[in-house]
mmCIF file of all heavy atoms in Angstrom:
data_model
loop_
_atom_site.group_PDB
_atom_site.id
_atom_site.type_symbol
_atom_site.label_atom_id
_atom_site.label_comp_id
_atom_site.label_asym_id
_atom_site.label_seq_id
_atom_site.Cartn_x
_atom_site.Cartn_y
_atom_site.Cartn_z
ATOM 1 N N ALA A 1480 218.017 85.259 -73.903
ATOM 2 C CA ALA A 1480 217.998 85.393 -75.367
ATOM 3 C C ALA A 1480 216.609 85.775 -75.877
ATOM 4 O O ALA A 1480 216.395 85.843 -77.095
ATOM 5 C CB ALA A 1480 218.456 84.084 -76.011
ATOM 6 N N ASN A 1481 215.666 86.006 -74.956
ATOM 7 C CA ASN A 1481 214.301 86.435 -75.292
ATOM 8 C C ASN A 1481 213.560 85.409 -76.153
ATOM 9 O O ASN A 1481 212.744 85.769 -77.003
ATOM 10 C CB ASN A 1481 214.325 87.800 -75.995
ATOM 11 C CG ASN A 1481 213.010 88.545 -75.812
ATOM 12 O OD1 ASN A 1481 212.306 88.345 -74.818
ATOM 13 N ND2 ASN A 1481 212.662 89.387 -76.767
ATOM 14 N N HIS A 1482 213.843 84.110 -75.938
ATOM 15 C CA HIS A 1482 213.113 83.070 -76.639
ATOM 16 C C HIS A 1482 211.778 82.841 -75.932
ATOM 17 O O HIS A 1482 211.726 82.807 -74.696
ATOM 18 C CB HIS A 1482 213.916 81.776 -76.651
ATOM 19 C CG HIS A 1482 215.122 81.817 -77.526
ATOM 20 N ND1 HIS A 1482 215.851 80.701 -77.846
ATOM 21 C CD2 HIS A 1482 215.722 82.851 -78.191
ATOM 22 C CE1 HIS A 1482 216.861 81.032 -78.643
ATOM 23 N NE2 HIS A 1482 216.803 82.336 -78.856
ATOM 24 N N PRO A 1483 210.691 82.660 -76.685
ATOM 25 C CA PRO A 1483 209.389 82.438 -76.038
ATOM 26 C C PRO A 1483 209.310 81.122 -75.285
ATOM 27 O O PRO A 1483 208.545 80.977 -74.337
ATOM 28 C CB PRO A 1483 208.394 82.463 -77.208
ATOM 29 C CG PRO A 1483 209.226 82.199 -78.427
ATOM 30 C CD PRO A 1483 210.583 82.748 -78.149
ATOM 31 N N MET A 1484 210.104 80.132 -75.709
ATOM 32 C CA MET A 1484 210.168 78.827 -75.045
ATOM 33 C C MET A 1484 211.629 78.468 -74.865
ATOM 34 O O MET A 1484 212.453 78.760 -75.734
ATOM 35 C CB MET A 1484 209.562 77.741 -75.945
ATOM 36 C CG MET A 1484 208.167 77.320 -75.648
ATOM 37 S SD MET A 1484 207.777 75.850 -76.659
ATOM 38 C CE MET A 1484 206.018 75.997 -76.665
ATOM 39 N N GLY A 1485 211.953 77.805 -73.773
ATOM 40 C CA GLY A 1485 213.303 77.284 -73.628
ATOM 41 C C GLY A 1485 213.528 76.145 -74.610
ATOM 42 O O GLY A 1485 212.570 75.504 -75.065
ATOM 43 N N PRO A 1486 214.775 75.825 -74.956
ATOM 44 C CA PRO A 1486 215.044 74.797 -75.975
ATOM 45 C C PRO A 1486 214.606 73.400 -75.557
ATOM 46 O O PRO A 1486 214.192 72.606 -76.413
ATOM 47 C CB PRO A 1486 216.567 74.867 -76.154
ATOM 48 C CG PRO A 1486 217.084 75.543 -74.920
ATOM 49 C CD PRO A 1486 216.019 76.476 -74.486
ATOM 50 N N LEU A 1487 214.647 73.073 -74.277
ATOM 51 C CA LEU A 1487 214.223 71.743 -73.835
ATOM 52 C C LEU A 1487 212.701 71.638 -73.811
ATOM 53 O O LEU A 1487 212.130 70.597 -74.165
ATOM 54 C CB LEU A 1487 214.826 71.424 -72.466
ATOM 55 C CG LEU A 1487 216.366 71.461 -72.435
ATOM 56 C CD1 LEU A 1487 216.888 71.259 -71.019
ATOM 57 C CD2 LEU A 1487 216.963 70.432 -73.396
ATOM 58 N N GLU A 1488 212.055 72.713 -73.417
ATOM 59 C CA GLU A 1488 210.588 72.769 -73.484
ATOM 60 C C GLU A 1488 210.128 72.661 -74.935
ATOM 61 O O GLU A 1488 209.160 71.972 -75.259
ATOM 62 C CB GLU A 1488 210.107 74.087 -72.861
ATOM 63 C CG GLU A 1488 208.605 74.268 -72.835
ATOM 64 C CD GLU A 1488 208.188 75.654 -72.345
ATOM 65 O OE1 GLU A 1488 209.067 76.505 -72.101
ATOM 66 O OE2 GLU A 1488 206.968 75.868 -72.233
ATOM 67 N N LEU A 1489 210.841 73.346 -75.824
ATOM 68 C CA LEU A 1489 210.513 73.303 -77.251
ATOM 69 C C LEU A 1489 210.737 71.899 -77.816
ATOM 70 O O LEU A 1489 209.929 71.409 -78.613
ATOM 71 C CB LEU A 1489 211.353 74.325 -78.009
ATOM 72 C CG LEU A 1489 211.146 74.401 -79.528
ATOM 73 C CD1 LEU A 1489 209.696 74.703 -79.867
ATOM 74 C CD2 LEU A 1489 212.071 75.466 -80.136
ATOM 75 N N ALA A 1490 211.798 71.247 -77.392
ATOM 76 C CA ALA A 1490 212.058 69.881 -77.849
ATOM 77 C C ALA A 1490 210.910 68.951 -77.462
ATOM 78 O O ALA A 1490 210.469 68.117 -78.266
ATOM 79 C CB ALA A 1490 213.374 69.373 -77.252
ATOM 80 N N ASP A 1491 210.416 69.095 -76.230
ATOM 81 C CA ASP A 1491 209.269 68.299 -75.792
ATOM 82 C C ASP A 1491 208.037 68.581 -76.647
ATOM 83 O O ASP A 1491 207.243 67.679 -76.943
ATOM 84 C CB ASP A 1491 208.936 68.610 -74.327
ATOM 85 C CG ASP A 1491 209.783 67.816 -73.340
ATOM 86 O OD1 ASP A 1491 210.609 66.996 -73.783
ATOM 87 O OD2 ASP A 1491 209.605 68.031 -72.125
ATOM 88 N N PHE A 1492 207.862 69.837 -77.029
ATOM 89 C CA PHE A 1492 206.704 70.221 -77.847
ATOM 90 C C PHE A 1492 206.812 69.606 -79.241
ATOM 91 O O PHE A 1492 205.837 69.091 -79.792
ATOM 92 C CB PHE A 1492 206.623 71.744 -77.940
ATOM 93 C CG PHE A 1492 205.474 72.256 -78.765
ATOM 94 C CD1 PHE A 1492 204.188 72.248 -78.255
ATOM 95 C CD2 PHE A 1492 205.675 72.733 -80.054
ATOM 96 C CE1 PHE A 1492 203.114 72.710 -79.012
ATOM 97 C CE2 PHE A 1492 204.620 73.199 -80.819
ATOM 98 C CZ PHE A 1492 203.336 73.186 -80.290
ATOM 99 N N ILE A 1493 207.998 69.643 -79.818
ATOM 100 C CA ILE A 1493 208.217 69.097 -81.162
ATOM 101 C C ILE A 1493 208.121 67.577 -81.150
ATOM 102 O O ILE A 1493 207.553 66.951 -82.046
ATOM 103 C CB ILE A 1493 209.605 69.524 -81.690
ATOM 104 C CG1 ILE A 1493 209.648 71.038 -81.919
ATOM 105 C CG2 ILE A 1493 209.973 68.783 -82.974
ATOM 106 C CD1 ILE A 1493 211.048 71.585 -82.147
ATOM 107 N N GLY A 1494 208.675 66.962 -80.110
ATOM 108 C CA GLY A 1494 208.791 65.504 -80.016
ATOM 109 C C GLY A 1494 210.255 65.118 -80.085
ATOM 110 O O GLY A 1494 210.947 65.440 -81.059
#
Side-chain angles (χ1 to χ4, degrees):
N1481 205 28
H1482 289 191
M1484 260 189 203
L1487 301 175
E1488 181 186 4
L1489 179 58
D1491 276 358
F1492 180 76
I1493 293 168

